[in-house]
Amino acid sequence: MPNGHYDVIIIGTGAGGGTLANILAPSGKKILVLERGTFLPKEKANWDSKEVVQKDRYRTSEVWYDKKGKAIHPLTHYFVGGNTKFYGSALYRFRERDFEKVIHQDGISPEWPLKYQDFAPYYTQAERLYEVHGQRGFDPTEPPSSEDYPFPPISHEPYIQQINYALKDKGFHPSYQPLGIKLNEVNRFLSACIRCDTCESFPCFLDAKADADVNGVRPAMAYPNLTLLTEAKVLRLHTNASGRQVTGVEAEIAGNSQMFSGEIVVVACGAINSAVLLLKSANDQHPDGLANSSNLVGRNYMAHKYAAVVALSMKPNPLVFPKTLAVNDFYWGEKGFDYPMGNVQLTGKISEEKAAINGLPFVPRGIYKAVADRAVGWFLMTEDLPDSNNRVRVKDEKIFLDYTNNNEQAFNRLIKRWKQVLKSIESDKKNGSSSLYITTKFSLKDVGHQCGTCRFGEDPQTSVLDINCRTHDIDNLYVVDGSFFPSSAALNPTLTIIANALRVGEHLIERLK
């Protein structure tokens, strides 16, 4: 069992921890990476909708609780790479205004201590590291960039191309989704990705998804100075007598407790579990949890407001990989509504099993196949506003998510307007076909976009972390995942988490010199 003292200990291997390991590995510093899960097994079940969607083969069996004490079965996964093993690979830059104070109909999205230009060079690095495909110039909300995407956009399938043209005819500005998948459409025999129908929400059997495992951790493992321990669940952090230094990282490995020490300790467990670890590590110097003098650890939890709008047509469509198109025309609102509404993007292929997930058990399987063959899924996302009462807390070793909905009017308006847009496209068709539109709002269990529980800032009274994501209270303790977000914007958070990990990694390399 590896032991001794390390220059850096990283806890977690998701978008934050996996990326940080990647940038620190070439430094030559002695690095320990602790991951509570294993490498996700490569098996036929990776692409089996019944196993992944209906049987929850890879999902944690943990039980959390809402503010009323009702059990939640969180949609989260513990493997090397974290939830990026299952993400849809949509890697968006936040917009310039997302870093400013933004007035919403239901509240305020606060200003960030750093601005878009501070993150821009790291966004560029992140897009290279995670092999992002895309094309600039179509999206009117797109922020400035110093160079093109590293790879060309993923092409639209013919059915999606028709939707693209129809949206343009209506005056909208559809754009290519920026996607981190290893697809070579020019030389398909050189392509890792085969453009299958089991990408979003599935692990990739071919390692063709640019996730934190494949693109972050595995290249880092080539360096002899980095040690990765899997099935190593960190239980708590220990400090010295003054409480200003983390002196021990206690992990459970093979049923036994083991202590590690490091010059720098980085928590990257995801916004929920990072807050949980700090709260569980309370001691005499930090009675309310580590780094919690502000009483903000766990507070301002955000996870986006999102819904699926499924359009069911009378005729089957031949979709395999439809997740290539997005629309941001409503991102900052619309005429008659001067408040942000959010992002619209296509989802991955809807399978029989996904169609049946909320269905009745006695409905014949053929019905769900017919639904899947006729479905086009849209994912709608509105900003979740920070609220100190929306929080992660721990009581009697149980994890609670105290959460109350906000920004509902903007969210509902986005859903209504997008249905109107889809119906207007449908009415232009000459074949007389019609569609049915089904809306499903996501719930508290959907924690894929978790952020905000340890916000960064310059004032220790109003933030947990400084601008380099070091805790104000403890000199050698950092948090590098979505916890640092002061606001959630209305776009997938992963690229911003990756860019920030690259930024903090650069700072840590300088500190360790």
Side-chain angles (χ1 to χ4, degrees), residues 12-19 35-40 58 75-87 130 202-203 209 211-214 217 268-270 448 450 494:
T13 59
T19 302
E35 167 56 51
R36 69 186 291 175
T38 63
F39 280 97
L40 194 144
Y58 304 110
L75 186 57
T76 197
H77 312 83
Y78 298 132
F79 295 99
V80 176
N83 283 322
T84 67
K85 296 301 294 182
F86 297 83
Y87 77 156
Y130 282 76
F202 292 82
K209 188 185 296 189
D211 60 42
D213 165 24
V214 175
V217 174
C269 310
Q450 58 187 276
T494 310

Side-chain angles (χ1 to χ4, degrees), residues 430-475:
K430 307 300 183 184
N431 57 12
S433 64
S434 60
S435 294
L436 173 69
Y437 303 96
I438 301 171
T439 302
T440 303
K441 291 185 177 181
F442 289 55
S443 66
L444 195 58
K445 75 176 188 302
D446 298 292
V447 297
H449 290 192
Q450 58 187 276
C451 57
T453 57
C454 298
R455 63 165 54 174
F456 79 152
E458 297 176 305
D459 185 350
Q461 294 185 342
T462 59
S463 59
V464 176
L465 311 172
D466 69 12
I467 61 171
N468 290 315
C469 291
R470 180 184 66 85
T471 62
H472 289 298
D473 298 348
I474 301 174
D475 179 65

Side-chain angles (χ1 to χ4, degrees), residues 86-105:
F86 297 83
Y87 77 156
S89 305
L91 295 171
Y92 280 93
R93 297 183 180 207
F94 281 4
R95 281 32 191 155
E96 285 181 282
R97 278 180 60 193
D98 284 323
F99 295 90
E100 306 291 343
K101 179 180 177 180
V102 178
I103 305 300
H104 292 256
Q105 188 180 38

Side-chain angles (χ1 to χ4, degrees), residues 39-102:
F39 280 97
L40 194 144
K42 295 184 71 168
E43 54 189 2
K44 290 179 70 175
N46 291 169
W47 286 347
D48 188 326
S49 289
K50 189 172 183 178
E51 289 291 327
V52 175
V53 176
Q54 289 188 341
K55 294 186 177 180
D56 291 327
R57 185 180 184 91
Y58 304 110
R59 183 174 170 180
T60 181
S61 59
E62 277 187 319
V63 177
W64 300 347
Y65 299 88
D66 68 10
K67 62 184 179 182
K68 295 181 179 179
K70 183 180 178 181
I72 303 168
H73 300 275
L75 186 57
T76 197
H77 312 83
Y78 298 132
F79 295 99
V80 176
N83 283 322
T84 67
K85 296 301 294 182
F86 297 83
Y87 77 156
S89 305
L91 295 171
Y92 280 93
R93 297 183 180 207
F94 281 4
R95 281 32 191 155
E96 285 181 282
R97 278 180 60 193
D98 284 323
F99 295 90
E100 306 291 343
K101 179 180 177 180
V102 178

Side-chain angles (χ1 to χ4, degrees), residues 26 165 225 254 317 350 502:
Y165 290 143
N225 54 296
N317 64 62
I350 296 176
L502 294 170

